[in-house]
Amino acid sequence: AAKSNGGGNHRFFAIEMEDAAQERRSLELDLREAIALDQFQLHYQPLVDLHTGRVTTCEALLRWTHPVRGNIPPAVFIPVAEETGLIIALGEWALNRACADASSWPREVRVAVNLSPVQFRDEGLGLQVVAALAKSGLSAQRLELEVTERLLLEDNDNTLDTMHQLHALGVSLSLDDFGTGYSSLNYLRKFPFQKIKIDRSFITDLGDGRDARAIIGAVASLGAGLDKTVVAEGIETEEQMNLVRSQGCHEGQGYLFGKPMPADDIRSRLDKPIIAIRRVA
Ligand code: C2E
Ligand code: MG
Ligand code: MG
Ligand code: MG
């Protein structure tokens, strides 16, 4: 089609681009008001100890219910929030909400909050974390902050300083989506991560052959050697759960254990194991 009518296509493409730009602008305007209008919610998804079946941590995931468009996924609005700087206020809201919710959970259950690199580079982050802990009364040991490899690519000195500051507060750091970016073994040595979350794509690929299995096994033993907790993301079947456990992963997360759910629902599921672990010899 591109060959047969280049001019027409070009015009069509220009209109599409204009639509996309307009769409983005309207999203941005709506995003600016969304916090004040109370359109955000946090859902929580459990991370489960693969030996006991108990929930160790609940990860907070943002949900935006747009009055006209309905649910807009984070993959759509987070990038806009990052480009406009709105992620600073939105991230602060999420941090406060998550700490407040977690303060009513059993003491052994932690909460994980995702942080954008934009938030990480903001000078106010340390104070935001201190304030969220103080307001909620949550102890710092119960807060985990998740960042991706995207953060580690640039600005290493400031990033490392901020991480050490957070670490000194007692907060722990997790490396999210491990294996999708420029995964470097050096990251694991240089930055103070307590948890490594192996990206869902490796768990999805477990079915087809030995490659994914070998990678998961290697990351799990590396993590164990470095005293880090290794988590497998995106576990949807019992078979995947058994495989990642046999490869040495400590924790799992995924639809098998529970989809992200509202605060009231997760609260009621934290008192007993979320799944029965059958001992396989
Ligand atoms: P993430 O932090 O890696 O979160 C895991 C994502 O995988 C979530 O998508 C979750 O719903 C999905 N997931 C979990 N288990 C399964 C499974 O078994 N199968 C499948 N197919 N999917 C599963 P969600 O909620 O759409 O979030 C997407 C991403 O948006 C997150 O990836 C995170 O990077 C970002 N995000 C979400 N909330 C926040 C936030 O509060 N702040 C920031 N900065 N980013 C956020
Ligand atoms: Mg995450
Ligand atoms: Mg993740
Ligand atoms: Mg992921």
Side-chain angles (χ1 to χ4, degrees), residues 42 45 59-63 74-75 78 82 87 94 114-116 119 146 176-177 200 233-236 253-256 260:
L42 285 182
Q45 189 183 31
E59 179 176 4
L61 295 159
L62 269 168
R63 295 293 178 260
I78 299 273
E82 287 178 333
I87 192 72
N114 292 284
L115 288 187
S116 147
Q119 287 172 274
E146 297 193 1
D176 203 356
D177 297 346
R200 173 157 66 87
E233 294 190 305
I235 297 178
E236 296 185 351
Q253 181 177 15
Y255 294 171
L256 176 69

Side-chain angles (χ1 to χ4, degrees), residues 115 120 125 143-147 151 159-160 162-167 170-176 191-196:
L115 288 187
F120 219 88
L125 178 66
L143 177 62
E144 297 176 0
L145 298 173
E146 297 193 1
V147 300
L151 173 70
T159 304
L160 195 56
T162 305
M163 286 183 176
H164 283 140
Q165 259 180 47
L166 293 167
H167 202 245
V171 171
S172 70
L173 294 162
S174 305
L175 183 52
D176 203 356
F191 298 102
F193 290 110
Q194 177 53 44
K195 253 182 201 184
I196 303 169

Side-chain angles (χ1 to χ4, degrees), residues 7-28:
N9 266 329
H10 194 252
R11 209 153 42 236
F12 179 65
F13 189 57
I15 290 168
E16 271 201 332
M17 295 258 287
E18 207 172 292
D19 282 356
Q22 227 159 51
E23 162 121 358
R24 226 201 82 104
R25 268 195 303 278
S26 90
L27 203 63
E28 182 184 328

Side-chain angles (χ1 to χ4, degrees), residues 123-145:
E123 284 178 359
L125 178 66
L127 278 179
Q128 280 186 8
V129 170
V130 170
L133 293 170
K135 273 185 274 187
S136 62
L138 191 79
S139 88
Q141 284 69 29
R142 294 178 61 197
L143 177 62
E144 297 176 0
L145 298 173

Side-chain angles (χ1 to χ4, degrees), residues 234-278:
I235 297 178
E236 296 185 351
T237 69
E238 204 153 325
E239 191 189 358
Q240 290 170 338
M241 174 180 76
N242 290 331
L243 272 171
V244 301
R245 190 185 42 214
S246 70
Q247 291 301 319
C249 292
H250 311 104
E251 296 184 4
Q253 181 177 15
Y255 294 171
L256 176 69
F257 310 107
K259 291 195 172 180
M261 59 190 107
D264 288 345
D265 297 357
I266 195 83
R267 175 69 195 80
S268 68
R269 301 191 57 184
L270 298 177
D271 296 315
K272 49 186 181 309
I274 208 158
I275 195 166
I277 307 279
R278 262 184 303 125

